[in-house]
Amino acid sequence: PISSYLFAIAVGDIVKKDISERCAIWSEPSMIEAAASDFSETEEFLSIAEEISGMPYAWQRYDLLCLPPSFPYGGMENPCLTFITPTCLTGD
């Protein structure tokens, strides 16, 4: 069970790109490739956290939603989905 304030809902013109078997990035179509590239190491970070804690990730799925540039506020962490600001994208 999770607290109701940790429940995430996202609505809009968004697409999904898997970056591993249990991680995906969601974003507007025009930003999906840049977001997928910048967060391609998410699975590795998750695996390292599991090694350090000695426990598997409890929620089984971890996705990221890169918000649109018109809403440059992010950082809302939920058990299975983190809203991230588009200002994190490096574009390199």
Side-chain angles (χ1 to χ4, degrees):
I2 60 171
S3 297
S4 59
Y5 73 90
L6 293 177
F7 187 76
I9 297 175
V11 177
D13 182 16
I14 55 176
V15 293
K16 173 187 173 189
K17 183 171 178 99
D18 289 320
I19 51 179
S20 74
E21 285 188 27
R22 62 180 174 168
C23 299
I25 186 82
W26 297 81
S27 179
E28 290 184 326
S30 64
M31 297 173 30
I32 193 67
E33 293 304 323
S37 175
D38 280 5
F39 291 96
S40 63
E41 296 176 352
T42 302
E43 176 65 36
E44 184 179 347
F45 296 146
L46 200 53
S47 296
I48 291 169
E50 290 175 322
E51 286 179 35
I52 291 170
S53 69
M55 298 172 52
Y57 183 62
W59 303 100
Q60 301 165 3
R61 181 116 201 123
Y62 182 71
D63 290 351
L64 301 127
L65 170 65
C66 187
L67 299 167
S70 61
F71 190 82
Y73 311 101
M76 182 60 192
E77 296 84 14
N78 297 286
C80 301
L81 177 70
T82 295
F83 288 38
I84 53 175
T85 175
T87 60
C88 288
L89 298 180
T90 61
D92 54 14

